[in-house]
Amino acid sequence: MKTKKVWNAAIAGTLALSLAACSSTSSTNNTATNAPDKGSGTTNKPAATTSADAGKIDTSEFQTISYVMLGDKPKNGQLEKVMDKINAILKQKVNAKLEIKWVEWADWQTKYNLLLASGEPVDLITVATDWLDTWQNAQKGAFMPLDKLLPTYAPQTWKEVPPENWAETKYKNQIMLIPEDHYTQWVNHGFLYRGDWAKEFGITEPIKDWETLGKYFQSVKDKKPGVVPWDVNSTGTGSIGGYINSYTDAIEMPVNTGMFPLVYGKSYDEKYKAYSPFFDDTFVNYAKLMKEWGDKGFWRDDVLNYKGDNRQALEAGKSSVDQHHTQTFLGERIKMDKLQPGSDLQFFPFSATRNNLVSMSITHGGTSIGAKSKHPERALMVYELIRQDPEVYKLMNYGLEGVQYVIKDGKRYRPDGYDVQRDDFYSNFWGGRIDKNEIPDGNEYAGKKDIYASYDKIKKPYPYGRFVFDKAPVSNELTAITQIVGQKGPAIIFGKAGDPVKAVEDFRAKLKAAGFDKVMGEIQKQLDAYKQLVESSK
């Protein structure tokens, strides 16, 4: 996701200080929980700037706005060509230039958090509360409150986002990010697998459990020489969360414990009860299964040191699965039809085993402004154009018409002669996409509507949209726990820790010694307070 800041440098410091000192909207609650604004409606919103007012904003000073994006910087020159077009429009409309600051995927979590902690004066920042530690960074003062800036410098977006959605962006009752709440997507995870091979192996029904997946892997091992059933690398530790999703009713909570989350809500009905599946049979059963799969050779023997790309292996016909989310599947389905004709790529969502599915948080993607931004006003004006101006939006998301895409019958297609190496473009703008400006993909997988409809039948509302865990009371314990997860987790996940029962016992003992019970107690305390706030706002 991405955020943009555009402010007058001469007044940035003054405004930032005045915003931080403002007490009229500050929460009196001592916890970090986002209190639902009881009766929060449009009457509490500052009036948005009119177009006539916006014309009076002083943009005489040319400013360069940075945008922190996650991903590897494109190297084929197409990004620069598109940015030239975008910046010509930005100069004309708001006298600014946009520069993307890439946080590349190698060790991205560490690099991203270090960048935000450095105090570097970045402007717009891609954020996410569920995978980019937004609340933890907000607690450290990484972002600038936006309440008083949005109505003037991003008035369309301010009006568009409803009060109940703004409530989910607040830390201590101040807006910390702009949500990507008007873009339809599903990012629930699962396995992408080859439907043609599954049928060849006698698996005629869609895979909906890990037992069937194991049979599929074994058949690949037996019948597809040169193919690694799951050519995962050492960072692919998300399967533990998937197993929990498949075999419990637990709901992942926004509490960061490092490489993978240890703390969940017990179930949707018991959403305010903190629970860790790592201390019951769930984790033992998972560890046993991973040891079995590892011993059978379903991944490389040197998996803990392997750095290869699983998706590229799938696309090359050298692996039978990739583990990611629905949106990735939809894109890969089209890709695989071309790269591996007849592969009939299918998707096993982890939620399919027992229909344990919650809606995606509206803050899965968003944009913030850095606390030290020198140009927050102009940054918001740039963000507004990227999100709301159809021409800028299309450039940012699709590239150049005629080069990256052509439009036929209102849908987007690749031009004749398109070469993926030469012509591919991406900006990784994940912080403000919006359905009204999207151009439908003419090559979109025909089964997308059915997948979305199946999810809509079973989904439950995301229950933790306003819950912000204040880690200060257990900061030392969480640091120690995060280190243990990173040190011990991968070996268990890939069946390389010896006897799985003993490995789990050792893992649990170390967590306990690091203060896990204290952490769970603090989470439950804050969940109790959150429950009271939610119920009092009804």
Side-chain angles (χ1 to χ4, degrees), residues 276 279 474 477 481 508 510-524:
S276 178
F279 286 85
V474 289
E477 289 80 4
I481 287 167
R508 291 170 174 172
K510 283 183 166 50
L511 290 177
K512 291 278 189 179
F516 188 76
D517 289 341
K518 180 179 177 182
V519 171
M520 287 293 285
E522 183 61 35
I523 293 171
Q524 187 60 62

Side-chain angles (χ1 to χ4, degrees), residues 75-93:
K75 296 179 173 61
N76 64 357
Q78 294 298 328
L79 174 69
E80 289 76 11
K81 294 177 183 178
V82 174
M83 291 307 298
D84 285 345
K85 293 284 187 181
I86 290 174
N87 283 327
I89 299 170
L90 296 182
K91 187 176 190 312
Q92 176 188 5
K93 295 193 173 184

Side-chain angles (χ1 to χ4, degrees), residues 331-528:
E332 284 299 307
R333 169 68 197 223
I334 302 302
K335 222 173 184 183
M336 286 287 286
D337 285 347
K338 295 180 179 179
L339 296 174
Q340 297 292 330
S343 56
D344 187 30
L345 197 68
Q346 298 294 312
F347 188 53
F348 159 38
F350 295 133
S351 58
T353 307
R354 56 191 298 124
N355 290 340
N356 181 17
L357 179 66
V358 295
S359 297
M360 187 185 74
S361 167
I362 63 168
T363 54
H364 172 77
T367 296
S368 295
I369 289 182
K372 302 295 183 181
S373 168
K374 295 179 180 179
H375 315 298
E377 293 167 326
R378 201 76 60 83
L380 280 176
M381 294 170 75
V382 169
Y383 176 86
E384 178 91 326
L385 285 171
I386 294 174
R387 180 172 174 138
Q388 303 293 351
D389 184 287
E391 183 179 9
V392 179
Y393 185 95
K394 291 170 187 175
L395 285 165
M396 196 75 175
N397 286 280
Y398 308 128
L400 300 171
E401 186 172 357
V403 179
Q404 275 76 42
Y405 70 98
V406 293
I407 297 177
K408 300 176 183 177
D409 300 322
K411 294 185 177 181
R412 180 168 41 91
Y413 296 88
R414 293 299 188 196
D416 293 338
Y418 177 87
D419 181 272
V420 67
Q421 298 296 326
R422 181 192 65 207
D423 301 323
D424 189 39
F425 162 82
Y426 58 86
S427 70
N428 287 2
F429 174 60
W430 303 327
R433 290 168 294 180
I434 189 166
D435 287 342
K436 70 181 182 183
N437 284 331
E438 287 285 304
I439 307 174
D441 186 348
N443 293 316
E444 185 175 81
Y445 174 46
K448 175 182 175 179
K449 290 182 179 179
D450 291 337
I451 292 173
Y452 279 17
S454 70
Y455 292 162
D456 286 338
K457 289 178 182 178
I458 62 173
K459 69 180 180 182
K460 305 176 186 69
Y462 182 68
Y464 305 119
R466 298 175 182 177
F467 179 72
V468 183
F469 179 62
D470 181 4
K471 71 174 187 178
V474 289
S475 179
N476 291 337
E477 289 80 4
L478 276 173
T479 298
I481 287 167
T482 297
Q483 291 174 346
I484 293 165
V485 170
Q487 292 167 357
K488 298 291 184 180
I492 297 175
I493 284 174
F494 295 115
K496 300 297 183 181
D499 179 79
V501 175
K502 290 181 179 178
V504 169
E505 289 174 351
D506 178 61
F507 184 68
R508 291 170 174 172
K510 283 183 166 50
L511 290 177
K512 291 278 189 179
F516 188 76
D517 289 341
K518 180 179 177 182
V519 171
M520 287 293 285
E522 183 61 35
I523 293 171
Q524 187 60 62
K525 175 183 174 182
Q526 294 187 32
L527 267 180
D528 291 342

Side-chain angles (χ1 to χ4, degrees), residues 299-358:
W299 43 74
R300 293 171 185 259
D301 189 56
D302 65 343
V303 62
L304 295 179
N305 297 312
Y306 179 58
K307 304 298 181 184
D309 189 308
N310 187 182
R311 193 163 304 148
Q312 288 182 3
L314 174 69
E315 292 170 356
K318 299 297 184 181
S319 184
S320 71
V321 299
D322 183 29
Q323 192 279 117
H324 215 255
H325 56 57
T326 297
Q327 296 304 117
T328 297
F329 162 69
L330 294 173
E332 284 299 307
R333 169 68 197 223
I334 302 302
K335 222 173 184 183
M336 286 287 286
D337 285 347
K338 295 180 179 179
L339 296 174
Q340 297 292 330
S343 56
D344 187 30
L345 197 68
Q346 298 294 312
F347 188 53
F348 159 38
F350 295 133
S351 58
T353 307
R354 56 191 298 124
N355 290 340
N356 181 17
L357 179 66
V358 295

